[in-house]
Amino acid sequence: EGQMSKFWSPFVKDLVPYVPGEQPKLAKLVKLNTNENPYGPSPKAIAAMQAEVNDNLRLYPDPNSDRLKQAVADYYGVQTAQVFVGNGSDEVLAHAFHGLFQHGQPLLFPDISYSFYPVYCGLYGIDFVQVPLDEKFQIRVEDYVRPNGGIIFPNPNAPTGCGLALEAIERLLKANPDTVVLVDEAYIDFGGETAISLVDKYPNLLVSQTLSKSRSLAGLRVGIAVGHPDLIEALERIKNSFNSYPLDRMAIAGAAAAFEDKAYFEQTCQRVIDSRDAVVSGLQTLGFEVLPSQANFVFARHPDKDAATLAAGLREQGVIVRHFKQQRIAQFLRITIGTPEQNQALLDALQGL
């Protein structure tokens, strides 16, 4: 142990931080490892952000981000009191873990899921149980009918890409009326159906989303949550005890404009979906098994070829994909859907491996 750690709060040495997907610095890479959108943000969002780069940057932004909350409320047909916004959905999730999941009972989430969940449990001292997905890598609702201090899962799930139907989410909510069910919808816009339509019916439902994927604003760091005003109030209390100006002037303007530009959003999502269909059929032609995806990535394995070897072979050809070492999924590759050219480069590279 380094001498410096004597200055740390005791819990810090036990933290196991999240490791983001690699962001290589080499030029000309076909980078299909971090689920970034291949298409840029709405031109209207860029114009709105550019308009904010002026003398007013000497002034604080709106601490409540009212313009953005209104844009989200208008888009989803909810009240602004049902909307929370934060600096990326990871921050929104952090506030939810901190403010809604500390009840002394374990938090439940799938064994194959977003690897930030156990990290936040470590940070906030929350016990958790990882509930195994079934043999087809799907969430089984009945496995979540047990005492818990909350439930969280991505829908569609990551890294599998598999979606859970709205009626199944509703069964889960009915079975757990006394704890918060957080549906993390980072990838919902690529073929899933949002659970936001259920928030008026279930006061224990919180839905989080990000502008990083479907709205191509990963570099802006904007996340949202929609739910009952009482849940939102808890998040606001945490946020205002932590950082009262999390969204800057550019982020508020750009994110609001992105929600307002529905046509651009729908067009780029459709392009990604069409490309995903093409990638799936290309992978299947090469003998891969591909899990059914509702995300902007696919999860695939080959019956005869080792995933780590494939990932290394792709890398040598300048194609980067994500490989997880976790035992159950060690033979899978998670492949982001890129431009048609990038997707073709991927399939061509796999052809020779």
Side-chain angles (χ1 to χ4, degrees):
E1 294 221 8
Q3 193 45 44
M4 291 305 286
S5 63
K6 72 174 184 183
F7 296 116
W8 295 2
S9 303
F11 82 99
V12 175
K13 70 178 193 309
D14 297 324
L15 290 179
V16 183
Y18 176 77
V19 180
E22 184 198 5
Q23 295 282 8
K25 299 287 186 280
L26 308 167
K28 285 217 169 128
L29 279 178
V30 177
K31 194 170 156 315
L32 303 176
N33 68 325
T34 44
N35 299 340
E36 290 149 324
N37 198 311
Y39 306 110
S42 155
K44 292 179 181 169
I46 293 173
M49 289 184 271
Q50 285 168 334
E52 291 296 321
V53 182
N54 59 37
D55 259 10
N56 285 342
L57 282 176
R58 65 194 176 78
L59 305 171
Y60 282 103
D62 170 11
N64 288 315
S65 304
D66 287 325
R67 183 183 163 196
L68 175 54
K69 286 181 182 173
Q70 191 62 60
V72 173
D74 290 347
Y75 184 86
Y76 281 116
V78 296
Q79 306 299 310
T80 52
Q82 293 172 290
V83 179
F84 179 79
V85 298
N87 193 237
S89 63
D90 288 331
E91 181 183 85
V92 176
L93 293 174
H95 292 339
F97 273 71
H98 204 174
L100 300 171
F101 290 152
Q102 291 190 326
H103 294 292
Q105 292 265 37
L107 178 67
L108 307 180
F109 50 85
D111 61 334
I112 310 296
S113 191
Y114 185 26
S115 54
F116 228 131
Y117 302 157
V119 173
Y120 281 144
C121 289
L123 183 62
Y124 296 116
I126 298 166
D127 280 333
F128 63 91
V129 172
Q130 292 177 295
V131 181
L133 298 173
D134 71 16
E135 65 290 342
K136 289 187 166 163
F137 297 97
Q138 306 289 326
I139 288 172
R140 266 188 306 237
V141 169
E142 52 273 27
D143 295 346
Y144 291 81
V145 184
R146 56 198 274 180
N148 66 73
I151 294 170
I152 184 171
F153 59 93
N155 192 43
N157 197 6
T160 65
C162 300
L164 191 63
L166 224 43
E167 57 87 20
I169 290 173
E170 203 158 359
R171 291 206 318 273
L172 191 70
L173 288 160
K174 283 180 180 150
N176 292 279
D178 300 323
T179 51
V180 171
V181 175
L182 201 168
V183 183
D184 177 358
E185 293 188 340
Y187 300 101
I188 198 69
D189 297 318
F190 301 108
E193 193 180 350
T194 180
I196 290 176
S197 61
L198 301 173
V199 293
D200 287 333
K201 233 164 119 181
Y202 298 95
N204 60 324
L205 170 63
L206 188 68
V207 180
S208 68
Q209 292 188 354
T210 175
L211 279 79
S212 296
K213 311 296 193 306
S214 55
R215 287 182 174 81
S216 312
L217 288 168
L220 198 61
R221 315 309 311 125
V222 181
I224 67 170
V226 182
H228 190 282
D230 290 353
L231 297 183
I232 300 303
E233 174 65 17
L235 299 179
E236 294 287 357
R237 290 178 71 126
I238 298 263
K239 170 239 173 196
N240 288 321
S241 307
F242 179 75
N243 175 8
S244 31
Y245 300 98
L247 292 189
D248 60 58
R249 287 172 168 269
M250 284 77 70
I252 292 167
F259 269 104
E260 287 154 9
D261 192 356
K262 218 166 162 177
Y264 182 86
F265 161 73
E266 286 172 355
Q267 177 203 332
T268 45
C269 286
Q270 194 54 53
R271 284 166 80 180
V272 172
I273 291 167
D274 294 344
S275 287
R276 181 183 68 213
D277 294 343
V279 169
V280 169
S281 77
L283 288 169
Q284 287 170 339
T285 303
L286 293 171
F288 282 85
E289 175 201 348
V290 188
L291 296 188
S293 172
Q294 293 182 351
N296 69 334
F297 59 85
V298 293
F299 208 47
R301 64 179 163 191
H302 198 284
D304 315 314
K305 294 174 183 172
D306 175 65
T309 310
L310 285 172
L314 284 171
R315 194 188 181 86
E316 281 173 24
Q317 299 179 67
V319 180
I320 314 284
V321 298
R322 190 98 192 248
H323 176 243
F324 298 87
K325 292 187 171 58
Q326 204 181 334
Q327 193 190 347
R328 251 191 108 180
I329 54 171
Q331 284 309 316
F332 281 90
L333 297 176
R334 194 195 68 189
I335 303 166
T336 305
I337 303 303
T339 60
E341 298 72 33
Q342 290 178 313
N343 300 334
Q344 195 53 54
L346 162 83
L347 295 169
D348 291 347
L350 282 171
Q351 189 89 49
L353 295 176

